Amino acid sequence: MSEILDLVGIFVFALSGALMGVRKRLDVVGMAVIAEMTALGGGVVRDLILNVRPTAFQSSGYVLVPVLATAIVFFWHPHVARVMPAILVLDAAGLGLFCAVGTEKALDYGLSPLHAALLGVTTAIGGGMLRDVLAGEIPTLLYDRQLYAVPAMLGSAAMAALYTHDLHGWHATLAAAVLAFGLRIAAMRYNWRAPLARGVKSTE
């Protein structure tokens, strides 16, 4: 079940990467590369830091799912763009899932709650950062004007707190994931923004 959820999250992240490739007028190879990086980058970085073989290299599905997402966007990107609101909801679910699972895995490998939470955030937004860098955009983490990184931070912190109180398993993971998901959805619904430095006016 956890692998299925992982693949769903990877598929949604890959769609966003491939769509970025379309907006940047990349060819199909560029679209596939940016989709793979978006979908797998955070998890690969997490596993390398934990000094374990990346999960993405243990199953062909982790590599093939982004290829499928790229093919869908390549042929039907206008239709995919039209259902972007639904994709953003799934993206928020993937964000919540990945930050919780990433934090829990880091804790299982002996990291402190603080470092595990940081690694959980890396799992959730690392691929998006790679996507933005490859596309020449300001990474979301550095310009969190749509509260994308903040929900991941709070979800990871919640997962670490639950874990330190001996609350493990799917129920704790689900609770942390739902928290991050809910905050991300609320930010999109109510147009919440992270504050700029004092005296700096927003251009939005």
Side-chain angles (χ1 to χ4, degrees):
M1 183 64 178
S2 61
E3 183 174 347
I4 293 175
L5 292 175
D6 268 355
L7 292 175
V8 170
I10 285 170
F11 178 75
V12 173
F13 285 170
L15 285 178
S16 72
L19 282 171
M20 175 70 80
V22 172
R23 288 197 295 272
K24 293 295 181 176
R25 301 181 63 82
L26 302 182
D27 61 23
V28 66
V29 175
M31 289 173 59
V33 168
I34 204 169
E36 293 279 357
M37 290 293 185
T38 306
L40 305 177
V44 169
V45 170
R46 175 202 64 209
D47 291 343
L48 290 176
I49 291 174
L50 294 176
N51 199 29
V52 298
R53 185 171 66 174
T55 304
F57 293 96
Q58 298 182 36
S59 170
S60 59
Y62 286 83
V63 177
L64 295 178
V65 165
V67 173
L68 173 62
T70 301
I72 291 173
V73 173
F74 182 80
F75 289 106
W76 298 290
H77 60 88
H79 305 287
V80 175
R82 277 200 292 271
V83 297
M84 199 62 197
I87 292 175
L88 287 174
V89 172
L90 293 174
D91 181 83
L95 179 80
L97 175 67
F98 281 16
C99 75
V101 170
T103 303
E104 185 174 28
K105 184 171 184 177
L107 289 164
D108 286 340
Y109 276 84
L111 267 66
S112 70
L114 174 61
H115 292 103
L118 291 174
L119 204 51
V121 174
T122 300
T123 305
I125 70 172
M129 286 186 63
L130 290 173
R131 175 200 63 211
D132 294 341
V133 169
L134 289 172
E137 300 283 338
I138 299 176
T140 303
L141 182 63
L142 304 181
Y143 189 64
D144 198 22
R145 299 290 289 137
Q146 295 184 337
L147 290 193
Y148 195 82
V150 170
M153 292 175 186
L154 294 177
S156 296
M159 184 70 244
L162 291 170
Y163 194 99
T164 56
H165 287 84
D166 293 324
L167 295 173
H168 305 174
W170 68 267
H171 54 286
T173 304
L174 180 62
V178 168
L179 172 63
F181 171 76
L183 288 171
R184 173 61 180 151
I185 292 297
M188 291 190 295
R189 173 65 177 83
Y190 297 108
N191 205 33
W192 291 345
R193 295 289 186 266
L196 296 173
R198 183 180 179 183
V200 177
K201 295 182 178 180
S202 174
T203 58
E204 297 179 5

